[in-house]
Amino acid sequence: MRSREYASAAEVLIPLSRRTDKPLRRRGYWLTLGGVLAAAVIGLGFYGYDQLKGETQRLQAELALLTTRLQSANAGLDALNRPAEGLKVNRIVVLNPGAETIASKGLAYIVADDKGAHLIVQAESLPELQKDQAVQVWLFKDNQPRNAGHFYPQGGNGAIYFAPDPGEYDSLSITVEPDVKGDKPRGVVLLAAGLKS
C-alpha cells in the first residue's frame, strides 16, 4: 500500500509541477512584455517631451516677436491719436465762384502742425442738394483730379479736412456731384482756386 501511496503522490506531483511551471513561464512572458511596453512608453514620453519643449520654445519666440510688433503698432496709434499741436495757418486761399450765377463763396486754409501740412476747406451759401447729390472737393496736379472727400451742407454751409500735403497740388475745385461714386468731376463747379502762390 505504501508503494501505491508513493505512486499516487508522484502522479500528483508531476501534474502539479507542470501546472506551476506554465504560470511561471506565462508570468515571465507578461513581465517581459510589460517591461518592454513600459520602456517604450517612457521613451515616447521623453521624445514627446523634447518635441513639446522645442515647439514651446518656438512659440515663445514667435509670441515675443508679435508682442514687440504690437507694442510698436500701439505706439504708432498713440502718436496718430494724439491731438495735433502747434497748428499754424500758412496760407488762406479765397475760393472763386465757378460762374457768375453762383452765389457760393469759401476759403481754403493751408495749415501745418507737428504732424504735417493739411487743407481745410470751408464753403457757404451752397445750393440745396437733391436726393443722392453731394458736395465734392477735388485737388488737381497736372490737370489730374484727386478726390479729397465729400460733405453734405447744413443750412448752405459745409467744411472738409484733407490730410495729405496740399502743397503737392496745383488747384482745387468744389463741385455738386450726382453721387459720391465718381473718380473725376462730373457736376457743376461751384468754387475753384489755384493753390500755388
Side-chain angles (χ1 to χ4, degrees), residues 117-185:
H118 316 281
L119 178 69
I120 300 170
V121 176
Q122 175 269 324
E124 58 187 60
S125 301
L126 297 168
E128 202 169 306
L129 300 180
Q130 302 302 316
K131 186 179 176 183
D132 293 328
Q133 290 181 323
V135 174
Q136 187 81 40
V137 179
W138 303 95
L139 292 170
F140 293 87
K141 175 77 173 179
D142 299 326
N143 291 324
Q144 295 300 313
R146 175 170 182 186
N147 183 339
H150 66 275
F151 62 91
Y152 302 99
Q154 296 293 315
N157 300 316
I160 195 164
Y161 168 84
F162 188 72
D165 188 351
E168 298 174 3
Y169 299 96
D170 304 320
S171 61
L172 167 144
S173 71
I174 298 176
T175 60
V176 173
E177 296 294 322
D179 54 52
V180 295
K181 299 174 184 171
D183 56 359
K184 60 184 176 183

Side-chain angles (χ1 to χ4, degrees), residues 54-65:
E55 184 66 14
T56 300
Q57 289 172 344
R58 186 189 70 75
L59 289 173
Q60 285 174 340
E62 190 173 330
L63 178 63
L65 177 66

Side-chain angles (χ1 to χ4, degrees), residues 67-82:
T67 300
T68 302
R69 286 181 181 170
L70 179 62
Q71 289 170 344
S72 175
N74 282 338
L77 282 174
D78 288 344
L80 285 174
N81 290 331
R82 192 184 75 235

Side-chain angles (χ1 to χ4, degrees), residues 4-142:
R4 198 170 182 152
E5 283 178 20
Y6 289 117
S8 45
E11 287 173 3
V12 170
L13 287 177
I14 291 171
L16 280 176
S17 67
R18 285 186 186 154
R19 279 189 223 143
T20 56
D21 192 27
K22 280 185 181 178
L24 285 177
R25 276 190 260 151
R26 283 186 189 154
R27 179 187 266 175
Y29 170 77
W30 287 112
L31 284 174
T32 303
L33 182 61
V36 168
L37 288 174
V41 167
I42 291 170
L44 285 173
F46 281 120
Y47 175 77
Y49 173 77
D50 286 343
Q51 293 295 317
L52 187 60
K53 185 177 177 183
E55 184 66 14
T56 300
Q57 289 172 344
R58 186 189 70 75
L59 289 173
Q60 285 174 340
E62 190 173 330
L63 178 63
L65 177 66
L66 290 173
T67 300
T68 302
R69 286 181 181 170
L70 179 62
Q71 289 170 344
S72 175
N74 282 338
L77 282 174
D78 288 344
L80 285 174
N81 290 331
R82 192 184 75 235
E85 295 177 6
L87 183 68
K88 175 184 167 193
V89 177
N90 288 339
R91 193 163 153 231
I92 300 173
V93 177
V94 176
L95 303 177
N96 302 308
E100 289 181 17
T101 57
I102 295 176
S104 301
K105 53 187 172 183
L107 298 171
Y109 300 89
I110 298 172
V111 298
D113 58 26
D114 62 337
K115 295 183 180 183
H118 316 281
L119 178 69
I120 300 170
V121 176
Q122 175 269 324
E124 58 187 60
S125 301
L126 297 168
E128 202 169 306
L129 300 180
Q130 302 302 316
K131 186 179 176 183
D132 293 328
Q133 290 181 323
V135 174
Q136 187 81 40
V137 179
W138 303 95
L139 292 170
F140 293 87
K141 175 77 173 179
D142 299 326

